[in-house]
Amino acid sequence: MPALIVGLGNPGPEYARTRHNAGFLCVEELARRGGLKWERPRLKAAQARGKLAGRDVVLAKPQTYMNLSGTSVAQLVKWYKTPLSDLLIVYDELDLPFGQLRLRAGGSAGGHNGLTSVLQQLRTSEVPRLRIGVGRPEWGEPKGYLLSRFTKEQTERLPALIDRAADAAELWLREGLIAAMNRYNQAVEPESGPG
């Protein structure tokens, strides 16, 4: 049974480089690293399958739109017979400063609609997750902020952030959640200037 890494986001070119698609960006980087090809969507998700960090893995990008992500995740878990300990959900996090990562074994969705859908469909809050900090807007409404593109400064820092997120996912594959938490849950020194 392969490990399953699901990046949350919204399908379609208009959402491609928005903050809410940080999960998609991470699994796309993992696929690039492993030379894995994205297949046509089935089980309501684009999938890339193969070997990564010495393990059989399925990378997935649900095509249901964020708020219904759990529909696809539940189908993937059932189809691949994935134990929840071998599932990692990767998504954007408003409550972490831009550039920070946080892995957890479970807990509430913290207001994230995509994760809320996943936890509802899987009927448990014990789902390993990797949160990618995108920071909160200084003004305005969070939804508009999440569905908009990164600032110029964030865009410059984005490749390094997605690299670190992919590194964390690979360490999770190789050595497990605790090792990845110990390595990547430390705060990153904030860069100068507004995030």
Side-chain angles (χ1 to χ4, degrees), residues 58-119:
V58 175
L59 306 174
K61 298 186 291 183
Q63 301 295 294
T64 55
Y65 291 98
M66 183 64 86
N67 294 359
L68 298 173
S69 299
T71 311
S72 173
V73 173
Q75 289 183 17
L76 290 161
V77 165
K78 186 175 179 184
W79 177 261
Y80 290 109
K81 300 179 172 60
T82 306
L84 294 186
S85 58
D86 279 342
L87 169 67
L88 185 68
I89 305 292
V90 186
Y91 61 97
D92 58 284
E93 178 56 74
L94 278 169
D95 290 325
L96 283 176
F98 184 88
Q100 215 163 303
L101 301 176
R102 188 75 80 242
L103 292 112
R104 289 182 67 189
S108 79
H112 192 285
N113 291 338
L115 189 64
T116 297
S117 173
V118 170
L119 302 186

Side-chain angles (χ1 to χ4, degrees), residues 127-144:
V127 177
R129 75 277 313 250
L130 167 58
R131 298 182 292 160
I132 300 173
V134 296
R136 276 197 174 270
E138 289 178 25
W139 50 268
E141 190 248 331
K143 183 179 177 186

Side-chain angles (χ1 to χ4, degrees), residues 6-21:
V6 182
L8 302 187
N10 286 307
E14 68 271 38
Y15 298 110
R17 303 294 289 180
T18 61
R19 294 177 179 92
H20 223 15
N21 275 32

Side-chain angles (χ1 to χ4, degrees), residues 11-75:
E14 68 271 38
Y15 298 110
R17 303 294 289 180
T18 61
R19 294 177 179 92
H20 223 15
N21 275 32
F24 275 17
L25 295 175
C26 179
V27 292
E28 285 165 3
E29 170 59 17
L30 288 167
R32 188 197 65 75
R33 290 180 180 194
L36 310 183
K37 298 281 178 269
W38 291 100
E39 303 163 7
R40 288 177 62 133
R42 56 190 196 93
L43 306 172
K44 298 183 179 169
Q47 298 173 51
R49 296 180 289 175
K51 287 260 190 211
L52 196 62
R55 290 188 65 185
D56 289 327
V57 69
V58 175
L59 306 174
K61 298 186 291 183
Q63 301 295 294
T64 55
Y65 291 98
M66 183 64 86
N67 294 359
L68 298 173
S69 299
T71 311
S72 173
V73 173
Q75 289 183 17

